[in-house]
Amino acid sequence: LGGQWDAAAERIPALDLNSPDAVAQVKGLILEQKFLELVHDQCVNGALDCLRSELVPALGQQADKVQALAACLMCSRDDDLRARCGWDVG
């Protein structure tokens, strides 16, 4: 998303999703992308803030997902991020 997270979130209604769960899932994916881009860019404070104030509330009871994302903070190289999080850094 190249930092265009808000623009991506604004386009969700255009997807005409049928359920609130689908909308929440798309929002969660955008937030996950935001978090991973911040980790990739070594913006640790921004990534932590995203994790705490946006992802944790969005993921709710998915503690395993939150833990997996938090572990990404330990990645110092692109290949580490790719291997640990399954994220394609582009």
Side-chain angles (χ1 to χ4, degrees), residues 1-10 30-31 33-35 37-38 41:
L1 295 175
Q4 300 295 318
W5 314 298
D6 291 335
E10 289 171 4
I30 292 169
L31 291 173
Q33 179 70 22
K34 176 181 179 178
F35 172 79
E37 286 182 23
L38 290 167
D41 293 340

Side-chain angles (χ1 to χ4, degrees), residues 46-59:
L48 279 170
D49 185 51
C50 178
L51 184 67
R52 282 185 259 180
S53 64
E54 298 178 81
L55 274 165
V56 168
L59 292 174

Side-chain angles (χ1 to χ4, degrees), residues 15-74:
L15 296 174
D16 198 28
L17 300 171
N18 294 332
S19 74
D21 289 339
V23 171
Q25 187 175 12
V26 171
K27 286 181 181 178
L29 290 171
I30 292 169
L31 291 173
E32 185 175 334
Q33 179 70 22
K34 176 181 179 178
F35 172 79
L36 292 170
E37 286 182 23
L38 290 167
V39 170
H40 175 259
D41 293 340
Q42 298 179 356
C43 297
V44 177
N45 289 336
L48 279 170
D49 185 51
C50 178
L51 184 67
R52 282 185 259 180
S53 64
E54 298 178 81
L55 274 165
V56 168
L59 292 174
Q61 300 297 320
Q62 299 179 49
D64 55 335
K65 183 70 171 176
V66 172
Q67 290 174 347
L69 289 170
C72 293
L73 289 166
M74 305 308 291

